[in-house]
Amino acid sequence: MTIRTIGVIGAGQMGSGIAQVLAVAGYDVTLTDVAANALETALSRISASLAKMAARGKLSETDRQAAERRIETSLALSDIGRCDLVIEAATEKESVKQKIFDDLVPHLKPGSILTSNTSSISITRLAGRTPHPERFMGLHFMNPVPVMQLVELIRGIATDEETFVAVQEVVERLGKTPVVASDFPAFIVNRILMPMINEAIFVLHEGVGSVIDIDNSMKLGANQPMGPLELADFIGLDTCLSIMQVLNEGFCDPKYRPCPLLVKYVEAGWLGRKTGRGFYDYRSDPPVPTR
Ligand code: CAA
């Protein structure tokens, strides 16, 4: 099957990044969200990112304008129903994702493919609530989407080969590198990355090191581009906690216990960059550690 039109559900940092790379690759994109201001923010974020790419010579002015024209926004989930491929990139909460699929299914055109950008939730379980689990799979982008090369492809137990190949072709057309992960909690990247971030939060919680010393240790001692606490703020502490909870519940192994300090930050609504405060306070420039 040839995919031409793609619907993206959720206009947060992942959804907007995904819409952007799809439009640059020539797909017609419909981006939806329940909040009008999220769509406005997404469009200005995409414009700024495309302008940055054009300024650095990574995109011609004509291609930049064409990419912007290929993205339309809508508050109505039903508008996504006409797309060949749907990428759900809403909040990392199973109940939210399930409701979206329940609401979307009646509007889908025959033969369309459904995917979720979930970073941890069972693809088989999400697919099980849809009428065609054979045309459902995981399509997991990394943040920031325009920069990161990797995309994880995850088959649910029922995903058929035609669906897998069609989605793999989309990833290849984006110029990104696919890896195939089995449908187990948090797949490959987050199964490895999140326990590392969670451990960094334990190191902070136990007073072994300060925010700055933990981040500097991993930047200067392990050549990571961002320290683990800075990265946690970048990903969003609510997302980090959700992923740890999926790992903890999925494997019933205490090594995946979320750090109580991570829980505390989420309870406070200090979710990282997106709320202006997490392990760093972004309301001052440069950001200052909050502990
Ligand atoms: N759009 C377009 N281009 C962008 C961009 C954006 N949103 N953000 C950065 N760039 C480009 C810049 O223009 C720059 O391009 P040039 O090389 O041509 O100059 C390049 O990316 C590097 O950016 P900067 O110089 O601004 O900043 P940097 O060198 O500090 O890099 C970073 C920023 C790429 C984010 C880097 O810090 C990094 O790689 N951090 C780690 C990110 C990471 O680990 N992501 C995975 C998170 S896990 C995940 O996503 C999975 C999940 O489910 C939670």
Side-chain angles (χ1 to χ4, degrees):
M1 121 168 243
T2 307
I3 289 166
R4 291 191 181 84
T5 52
I6 304 184
V8 180
I9 303 171
Q13 56 182 354
M14 295 306 289
S16 61
I18 294 168
Q20 177 183 326
V21 296
L22 293 170
V24 169
Y27 292 104
D28 289 324
V29 180
T30 305
L31 177 63
T32 63
D33 200 288
V34 284
N37 62 344
L39 290 173
E40 279 163 31
T41 308
L43 285 182
S44 46
R45 195 186 290 148
I46 291 169
S47 285
S49 180
L50 290 174
K52 197 169 166 186
M53 288 170 72
R56 298 195 182 206
K58 290 181 188 165
L59 198 66
S60 73
E61 184 51 27
T62 318
D63 289 346
R64 183 191 70 76
Q65 288 176 12
E68 285 205 23
R69 275 198 304 271
R70 280 189 207 107
I71 301 174
E72 63 175 46
T73 57
S74 171
L75 286 167
L77 196 57
S78 52
D79 285 341
I80 291 281
R82 57 171 184 256
C83 296
D84 302 322
L85 169 69
V86 176
I87 304 175
E88 172 277 315
T91 311
E92 188 65 1
K93 279 210 181 82
E94 191 159 344
S95 55
V96 172
K97 293 182 186 295
Q98 280 177 344
K99 167 129 188 23
I100 287 171
F101 289 123
D102 289 350
D103 292 347
L104 175 65
V105 159
H107 304 286
L108 287 176
K109 70 173 189 182
S112 58
I113 294 177
L114 284 182
T115 64
S116 175
N117 180 57
T118 178
S119 34
S120 59
I121 298 168
S122 165
I123 298 302
T124 300
R125 206 160 58 230
L126 289 174
R129 286 172 68 105
T130 66
H132 293 287
E134 71 278 11
R135 292 202 302 271
F136 192 110
M137 62 181 279
L139 176 59
H140 181 217
F141 290 82
M142 307 297 134
N143 188 22
V145 180
V147 181
M148 303 302 281
Q149 186 60 29
L150 189 84
V151 180
E152 286 180 309
L153 298 177
I154 307 107
R155 288 185 179 92
I157 204 163
T159 308
D160 67 20
E161 196 53 22
E162 201 186 347
T163 298
F164 183 85
V165 169
V167 173
Q168 189 178 31
E169 279 171 8
V170 171
V171 174
E172 280 160 4
R173 183 159 152 196
L174 299 181
K176 296 203 181 282
T177 305
V179 290
V180 181
S182 296
D183 187 20
F184 286 98
F187 319 125
I188 297 175
V189 170
N190 284 322
R191 170 90 177 263
I192 299 169
L193 181 66
M194 279 305 152
M196 190 274 289
I197 287 177
N198 195 48
E199 196 62 29
I201 303 170
F202 269 113
V203 169
L204 178 68
H205 183 50
E206 292 166 11
V208 178
S210 67
V211 169
I212 296 286
D213 285 345
I214 292 167
D215 276 350
N216 274 343
S217 296
M218 297 309 285
K219 278 194 288 194
L220 307 178
N223 258 8
Q224 296 190 352
M226 285 178 171
L229 301 173
E230 188 189 359
L231 182 57
D233 278 357
F234 182 66
I235 292 167
L237 302 190
D238 51 343
T239 302
C240 294
L241 179 58
S242 298
I243 297 170
M244 286 311 299
Q245 284 164 340
V246 168
L247 283 166
N248 200 30
E249 284 158 22
F251 291 115
C252 297
D253 185 330
K255 75 178 177 180
Y256 297 116
R257 177 173 71 103
C259 178
L261 187 62
L262 173 60
V263 176
K264 199 61 70 192
Y265 269 74
V266 173
E267 284 172 350
W270 294 13
L271 306 182
R273 278 199 201 182
K274 63 184 166 189
T275 56
R277 208 166 6 176
F279 292 109
Y280 293 85
D281 189 334
Y282 297 90
R283 293 168 303 174
S284 48
D285 189 19
V288 289
T290 52
R291 292 179 80 77

